[in-house]
Amino acid sequence: SEGRLITAEYESHYLVTTYVPNAGRGLVTLDKRMEWDPLFRSHVESLDKKKPVIICGDMNVAHLEIDLKNPKTNKKNAGFTQEERDGFTKLVKAGFVDTYRHFYPKKEGSYTFWTYMMNCRAKNVGWRLDYFLVSSRLVPHLADVVIRDQVFGSDHCPITLLL
């Protein structure tokens, strides 16, 4: 009931847009997130058997330590628990490539979300929560991924996948 997704079928691929459930302040909805992850993974794996899949949206997890400004102080906070990170790792191991890390495996300071509190966006104290993931067989068709961090109007910024 917390997560959302839209699956669009095109001739050559599927496009899945999603909002993954947030584990919540104090991790009060982490159990919902843990229910969501395997169901979502199963859905995209079944699509991937038919044709390649492009996943985009707010995955509500900073997968790697370089995907947020302060990893050490956030290990027990929503979006950076080991459980959430492990769920994302399982998605990657299922054959879906984090396109940003494909192009920029060690780039730090690249975020798509900043809390409105304490002027975090101006200080670039953020999290990379928004992703494009693709079926591994689409990797040869990737050109770039751009984080549009100068687009304002939300606590998240858009990202663009170039094929």
Side-chain angles (χ1 to χ4, degrees), residues 5-158:
L5 71 87
I6 299 171
T7 301
E9 182 176 8
Y10 295 90
E11 187 176 319
S12 63
H13 65 279
Y14 289 99
L15 176 64
V16 178
T17 62
T18 189
Y19 171 82
V20 173
N22 186 308
R25 191 175 298 267
L27 305 178
V28 295
T29 54
L30 181 60
D31 57 334
K32 290 180 182 180
R33 170 62 181 264
M34 295 299 91
E35 289 175 27
W36 168 274
D37 282 354
L39 293 171
F40 179 75
R41 188 173 59 255
S42 176
H43 174 67
V44 295
E45 284 178 313
S46 68
L47 296 175
D48 192 47
K49 290 176 183 170
K50 300 172 194 167
K51 56 179 98 170
V53 179
I54 300 170
I55 302 165
C56 67
D58 182 350
M59 303 298 286
N60 261 318
V61 64
H63 184 221
L64 306 172
E65 287 197 355
I66 60 172
D67 292 326
L68 73 161
K69 181 69 173 184
N70 297 308
K72 292 190 180 10
T73 58
N74 280 293
K75 290 194 186 272
K76 294 183 180 180
N77 289 330
F80 200 60
T81 64
Q82 195 60 54
E83 296 92 335
E84 293 165 298
R85 295 170 68 201
D86 288 349
F88 193 92
T89 296
K90 287 176 184 174
L91 189 58
V92 170
K93 287 184 176 180
F96 297 96
V97 176
D98 175 350
T99 59
Y100 190 80
R101 287 291 166 226
H102 171 76
F103 285 107
Y104 309 101
K106 296 181 182 189
K107 187 169 184 186
E108 297 182 20
S110 298
Y111 309 125
T112 63
F113 166 81
W114 306 261
T115 181
Y116 286 124
M117 298 181 294
M118 301 181 300
N119 206 23
C120 283
R121 190 157 188 176
K123 297 180 211 171
N124 200 31
V125 177
W127 301 54
R128 190 170 71 95
L129 301 178
D130 304 276
Y131 294 80
F132 272 104
L133 296 110
V134 298
S135 300
S136 58
R137 63 189 181 276
L138 286 178
V139 168
H141 303 285
L142 298 177
D144 200 4
V145 180
V146 181
I147 293 177
R148 307 282 182 185
D149 58 359
Q150 294 305 304
V151 176
F152 297 90
S154 171
D155 53 356
H156 290 255
C157 72

